[in-house]
Amino acid sequence: MELIQYAWTNIDVLLARTVEHISLVGVAVGLATLTGVPIGIAITQSERVARVVLYVASIIITIPSIALFGLMIPILSVFGHGIGYVPAVIAVLLYSQLPIIRNTYTAINNVSPALREAARGIGMSPLQRMRQVEIPLAIPVIMAGVRTAVVLNIGVMAIAAYIGAGGLGTFISRGISQSDPRQLIVGAVAVSLLAVITDYTLLALQRWLTPKGLSRSAGAGA
Amino acid sequence: MLASMLQRFGRIMVLAAVFAAGAWTYATGFIDEFLWHWPDVQYLTMQHLWLTAMSGSLAIAVGIPLGIVLSRPSMARVAESIMQVLNVGTTIPTLAVLALSMSFLGIGTTPAVFGLFVATLLPITRNTFAGLTGISPALLEAAAGIGMSPTQRLFRVELPNALYVIFAGIRTALTINVGTVPLAFLIGAGGLGELIFTGIDLFDPAMMLAGAIPTAMLAIAVDALIAVIAFLVVPRGVNPNRA
Amino acid sequence: MIRLENLTKIFETQKGSVIAADHITMEVPSGEICILLGPSGCGKTTTLKMINRIVPPTSGKVFIEGEDTSGMQTEDLRRNIGYVIQQIGLFPNMTIEENITAVPRLLGWDAKRYRERARELMDVIAMDPNIYLNRYPSELSGGQQQRIGVARALAADPPVMLMDEPFGAIDPINRAVIQDEFLKMQQALKKTILFVSHDIDEAIKMGDRIAIFRAGRLVQLSEPDDLLAAPKDEFVESFLGDDRALKRLNLVRVGDVVSSDIGTVNPGDTLATALKRMDEYGYQLSILMVNEQNEPVGMVPRSVASLTRGYCRDHFQPLPGTIHMGDSLRKATSIMFAEDTTWLPCIDDNGKVCGQITQRAMTRHLGARFRAAARTATAPATGA
């Protein structure tokens, strides 16, 4: 009861933090999609390059976010952006690369050879094949990658409150430092709800973007 | 030709950059500062690893049997809904898991281990379940057909065939675990997070790096270690990395 | 017309170069189906795929309608050749209509024209456009999907079609149906078709000509009947199987063997007349009875006619079966074996009797071709 009351009285701050959280993650993953999808498409041309790129991306995603902040702050402070939303957005950008690149790459690579041959056989140029066949078929899997990235980075952004990036993590960090369980729980529940709701929303978007003929056969993830 | 020249050039550039960075840090006295934290790093790394080992082994010990139980045909009706809950669980940020754990269990090692355990448990159970239910029905039918008991089927056919997927789950889970341990500092459990968070608070770059570099290296090392174990343990016939 | 001149493909592998197709030279006249036949790895598929450059040729030339294609843009070339593959390869993200109209859209037809064309093609492949055009490939059965695959290849009305084991993935019953439909369609469309198969029976059924491949070489190019009657070497002979004489039963129509000068009786004739007529025509066992409309109604056995007195209408027995003039000898043989009879009455489209076919006539017809072929085979080989 007390919690609900607390949340209600602070609803304006809660909403502002939520919007902040969403917009930071949204902008960063949006940018990451703009880089990750072309990279994922490009590396289908060479298996060796693909292996290197995916390896590097997987190392990056292995680095714990707080460690990444610890590594970036000294470097970014040289440019005067050590703390705040800049390192957070860069971290989200980096973490998003693996799911987006990998899903794009696998999706395009997994288009069946028969389909590719049919597309070539009826005289589609490489660009037409890409636009009319490969990308439409890859979209659900690419969307699944974007979804993974968003959900992952909602968590990263929560931690980024500690480096002054704002967002819902602020409630948690204040809750801990002020030993205030109300802020702590409200923050934790809010960020969890945000992650779960976003996951479902993006899943719905993914289904909506899936070409109709695929909706029955194609799996959601990759 | 061109590629190999570029490669060599690239390598030289990387070396030069590392050298320049080293020289610069040395010149600014950074390395001395960094080394000043060394005893702390050693102590906190051990604490860090202990937290991981504790929560990780607990999660494996609970997660795999749980996945096995859920994958039994008799559980089919409840398994789907339980997996749904677990799937929702994995989307919850680890910081929130730790925060909630703290708000119910208080401060210290116990809530930290519990929080880490929960965050690690979910991927392991999920992958165990997926690995076991993903086995082709033909294989199970063949195993039953040659007269294996359900237990024999589980240990001789199902688990060996699901092992690759199970290991993938353990790898993901422990990587998340090692990455979450720094946050355990926030609820009073120590670990390398202490250097990072304190470094951020005091704006002490050397301290931040003293925490961040070992944390990053630990995560990469744990990830690689499990990859190696999986490579060795998973039978060759069902190990895509060992064709 | 398709003409291949010294078409060669050499694959460079780590173990050295492999000649997949070795100076293939052949010609398919307009409106004919030529089957490329052979065991796997014989070069038939490589040869086919070099024509639309899915496999780029190492050397040699392809002429379509007399024109050298080496100067054409790859995409233009492919848009003017219909292409059907075993895996069908319908685009799962497109509706049936979008699949069928893929090539017309690539060619920049306006919407009205290609939509009309889609409906036309659905009629050609005997599927209801109102039901299927807006569906997706995953909603269709395998046989239906392959019909759509054929329609897609026909969409821009290309003079030439390449088909790579098009019916190979369809179950035997549907395969026979779709083969028949395809042949009927081909009678109207008269496309020039190259068709890869590894199934000798399919080749005999579908092909106007059959090209046998072995280890990258074209061994023999003949009409199916010639091929079966006169295989060029032991490889071809063994590939055709030791029942090749039986396979020819599929190729010969009842009409080719029928004897039209036959003796019959009417229901009103006496049994004595029947007996006399049997002697006249040399029939050992029985004689056919027809009604006023010249339709077969039964038969009068010699045993009955010689021992009984009366009229045919009171003593006839049911016929074991009849056979249509357009049916194959295979069907005729099958009925004869099943019914333990040595002759069958033959009927035309209206069900009127136009002769009969006997086992003796069949064996004589087939044997004559084999003897003739054996004579020409010893003479220097020509053509092919």
Side-chain angles (χ1 to χ4, degrees):
Chain A
M1 250 355 265
E2 197 192 354
L3 281 172
I4 295 168
Q5 204 173 8
Y6 174 82
W8 183 245
T9 47
N10 291 288
I11 191 74
D12 47 341
V13 190
L14 197 59
L15 282 178
R17 291 291 186 206
T18 308
V19 169
E20 193 174 37
H21 207 108
I22 295 174
S23 51
L24 282 171
V25 173
V27 167
V29 176
L31 286 174
T33 311
L34 292 183
T35 58
V37 172
I39 293 177
I41 293 173
I43 61 176
T44 54
Q45 299 305 311
S46 155
E47 210 181 311
R48 250 186 54 195
V49 174
R51 225 177 304 143
V52 173
V53 168
L54 290 175
Y55 183 75
V56 170
S58 74
I59 292 283
I60 290 176
I61 211 172
T62 310
I63 298 175
S65 50
I66 191 68
L68 193 61
F69 294 143
L71 294 172
M72 272 193 308
I73 291 169
I75 299 171
L76 288 173
S77 52
V78 175
F79 309 100
H81 282 288
I83 276 193
Y85 69 91
V86 175
V89 167
I90 293 180
V92 172
L93 257 172
L94 289 173
Y95 285 137
S96 304
Q97 296 304 314
L98 181 68
I100 296 174
I101 294 179
R102 187 184 47 201
N103 280 30
T104 307
Y105 173 73
T106 6
I108 299 226
N109 252 9
N110 281 357
V111 171
S112 95
L115 222 53
R116 249 179 248 271
E117 185 177 324
R120 283 209 293 159
I122 65 167
M124 287 189 183
S125 69
L127 264 181
Q128 286 166 329
R129 290 205 298 271
M130 183 78 62
R131 226 174 47 88
Q132 297 186 25
V133 181
E134 290 170 7
I135 294 199
L137 293 179
I139 281 229
V141 186
I142 295 176
M143 267 310 295
V146 171
R147 192 176 128 221
T148 311
V150 169
V151 171
L152 171 81
N153 285 309
I154 286 178
V156 171
M157 197 50 81
I159 297 168
Y162 277 94
I163 58 167
L168 285 167
T170 321
F171 284 98
I172 301 179
S173 72
R174 292 220 180 113
I176 291 175
S177 61
Q178 300 168 6
S179 295
D180 178 0
R182 290 178 314 177
Q183 285 193 56
L184 184 67
I185 296 179
V186 165
V189 169
V191 82
S192 305
L193 278 178
L194 179 62
V196 173
I197 292 170
T198 311
D199 191 35
Y200 274 97
T201 313
L202 289 179
L203 182 64
L205 181 65
Q206 181 184 330
R207 295 215 171 111
W208 184 69
L209 282 174
T210 302
K212 263 209 216 129
L214 289 179
S215 45
R216 215 158 307 157
S217 50
Chain B
M1 258 311 278
L2 186 67
S4 72
M5 264 171 63
L6 276 176
Q7 220 170 26
R8 196 184 306 166
F9 181 70
R11 244 176 246 159
I12 292 171
M13 286 307 286
V14 169
L15 269 178
V18 170
F19 183 78
W24 179 72
T25 45
Y26 181 75
T28 53
F30 204 81
I31 289 185
D32 286 334
E33 262 183 79
F34 189 86
L35 283 178
W36 191 79
H37 294 289
W38 184 242
D40 285 346
V41 169
Q42 278 177 306
Y43 174 76
L44 292 171
T45 302
M46 288 320 291
Q47 209 174 25
H48 200 105
L49 282 175
W50 187 85
L51 284 168
T52 297
M54 200 61 199
S55 55
S57 45
L58 262 176
I60 293 173
V62 176
I64 293 181
L66 183 60
I68 293 175
V69 169
L70 288 176
S71 72
R72 295 307 87 190
S74 56
M75 295 291 287
R77 208 173 306 159
V78 285
E80 272 310 312
S81 34
I82 294 181
M83 289 318 291
Q84 286 271 318
V85 174
L86 292 189
N87 284 340
V88 171
T90 41
T91 58
I92 294 178
T94 49
L95 180 64
V97 174
L98 281 179
L100 290 173
S101 176
M102 173 186 158
S103 50
F104 294 111
L105 297 173
I107 280 184
T109 309
T110 317
V113 170
F114 181 75
L116 289 169
F117 162 77
V118 172
T120 317
L121 179 75
L122 303 184
I124 295 179
T125 308
R126 222 155 66 126
N127 272 43
T128 307
F129 179 80
L132 288 171
T133 48
I135 290 173
S136 107
L139 209 59
L140 294 180
E141 197 177 317
I146 62 167
M148 286 190 182
S149 70
T151 320
Q152 284 170 326
R153 255 181 284 165
L154 176 63
F155 284 98
R156 298 198 192 167
V157 179
E158 296 182 54
L159 282 177
N161 278 290
L163 213 52
Y164 183 78
V165 182
I166 295 177
F167 260 105
I170 294 178
R171 189 173 163 188
T172 316
L174 287 195
T175 311
I176 292 174
N177 184 304
V178 187
T180 310
V181 173
L183 305 181
F185 159 75
L186 298 173
I187 61 172
L192 286 163
E194 191 171 326
L195 289 171
I196 306 178
F197 284 107
T198 318
I200 292 172
D201 278 346
L202 303 176
F203 203 78
D204 177 349
M207 197 171 181
M208 268 185 247
L209 289 176
I213 293 172
T215 306
M217 278 168 33
L218 263 185
I220 294 171
V222 167
D223 185 53
L225 180 72
I226 297 167
V228 170
I229 295 178
F231 182 82
L232 296 175
V233 171
V234 179
R236 200 156 62 124
V238 289
N239 191 338
N241 296 329
R242 246 169 102 184
Chain C
M1 187 207 62
I2 305 173
R3 187 151 54 88
L4 312 183
E5 260 184 35
N6 290 317
L7 206 55
T8 301
K9 179 68 193 181
I10 299 171
F11 286 110
E12 298 298 339
T13 67
Q14 284 163 346
K15 291 174 209 141
S17 38
V18 175
I19 305 179
D22 189 2
H23 295 87
I24 307 294
T25 298
M26 60 185 282
E27 187 176 317
V28 186
S30 295
E32 286 199 1
I33 301 180
C34 177
I35 312 283
L36 308 183
L37 184 67
S40 51
C42 66
K44 56 189 192 299
T45 304
T46 307
T47 303
L48 183 87
K49 290 183 178 179
M50 280 193 284
I51 296 171
N52 65 354
R53 297 192 207 145
I54 292 289
V55 174
T58 307
S59 64
K61 282 188 172 162
V62 176
F63 295 84
I64 290 179
E65 307 293 1
E67 190 190 342
D68 185 354
T69 61
S70 43
M72 293 173 76
Q73 282 285 315
T74 301
E75 270 93 40
D76 293 337
L77 172 72
R78 288 175 181 161
R79 286 170 197 175
N80 286 306
I81 298 178
Y83 190 47
V84 185
I85 58 178
Q86 183 184 346
Q87 306 89 334
I88 309 175
L90 295 183
F91 305 119
N93 54 317
M94 300 183 189
T95 61
I96 298 306
E97 178 167 24
E98 287 166 332
N99 266 289
I100 294 182
T101 57
V103 181
R105 284 184 294 137
L106 287 172
L107 291 170
W109 291 18
D110 63 67
K112 188 165 167 282
R113 182 163 164 224
Y114 68 65
R115 301 192 79 126
E116 258 168 39
R117 179 67 181 151
R119 300 190 85 84
E120 255 173 60
L121 283 161
M122 291 301 274
D123 286 338
V124 171
I125 57 170
M127 284 173 75
D128 186 342
N130 296 322
I131 296 177
Y132 291 105
L133 276 183
N134 290 318
R135 295 214 177 159
Y136 284 91
S138 57
E139 297 168 319
L140 267 52
S141 72
Q144 289 173 327
Q145 288 187 24
Q146 193 53 289
R147 285 184 182 88
I148 301 298
V150 171
R152 180 174 67 182
L154 288 169
D157 203 18
V160 163
M161 282 176 74
L162 305 178
M163 307 179 83
D164 183 9
E165 301 199 22
F167 311 133
I170 299 170
D171 67 274
I173 294 171
N174 276 311
R175 190 188 311 153
V177 173
I178 200 170
Q179 282 170 343
D180 291 336
E181 281 176 8
F182 184 77
L183 282 177
K184 204 180 285 172
M185 217 162 74
Q186 165 67 357
Q187 275 178 358
L189 298 175
K190 294 271 175 236
K191 300 289 179 195
T192 310
I193 298 170
L194 266 173
F195 184 123
V196 164
S197 176
H198 62 255
D199 176 358
I200 171 79
D201 294 309
E202 181 176 61
I204 292 166
K205 180 175 178 183
M206 308 290 291
D208 296 306
R209 278 154 208 272
I210 298 177
I212 306 263
F213 281 71
R214 180 197 191 184
R217 286 170 182 274
L218 174 60
V219 184
Q220 182 168 4
L221 175 62
S222 305
E223 287 174 19
D225 200 38
D226 291 333
L227 182 75
L228 289 168
K232 207 168 185 180
D233 60 18
E234 275 178 22
F235 166 76
V236 179
E237 201 175 330
S238 71
F239 189 78
L240 297 174
D242 40 21
D243 60 343
R244 60 193 164 90
L246 285 182
K247 291 192 168 107
R248 288 189 58 212
L249 293 175
N250 264 335
L251 295 171
V252 185
R253 301 287 123 193
V254 166
D256 301 337
V257 189
V258 71
S259 40
S260 43
D261 178 28
I262 56 165
T264 55
V265 291
N266 292 320
D269 290 334
T270 61
L271 287 173
T273 315
L275 193 61
K276 202 174 108 214
R277 204 155 289 160
M278 274 189 254
D279 289 338
E280 229 169 82
Y281 281 88
Y283 298 154
Q284 303 293 318
L285 298 170
S286 49
I287 188 163
L288 175 67
M289 182 173 89
V290 295
N291 62 15
E292 279 86 54
Q293 287 80 43
N294 201 27
E295 288 162 353
V297 287
M299 64 175 192
V300 180
R302 178 179 278 271
S303 51
V304 175
S306 56
L307 296 174
T308 323
R309 300 171 69 110
Y311 291 96
C312 290
R313 63 172 169 261
D314 301 321
H315 296 282
F316 75 92
Q317 289 178 2
L319 281 167
T322 57
I323 187 91
H324 189 268
M325 291 290 275
D327 283 331
S328 68
L329 288 195
R330 186 184 162 100
K331 185 172 174 188
T333 318
S334 176
I335 296 173
M336 286 181 189
F337 287 177
E339 302 295 337
D340 187 19
T341 176
T342 57
W343 65 275
L344 285 173
C346 307
I347 53 170
D348 60 14
D349 289 334
N350 303 318
K352 312 275 187 200
V353 170
C354 39
Q356 66 185 25
I357 181 167
T358 63
Q359 283 185 4
R360 185 82 196 96
M362 277 163 44
T363 49
R364 187 175 303 157
H365 180 88
L366 292 174
R369 282 289 283 120
F370 276 109
R371 279 190 301 279
R375 272 198 304 279
T376 53
T378 51
T382 52

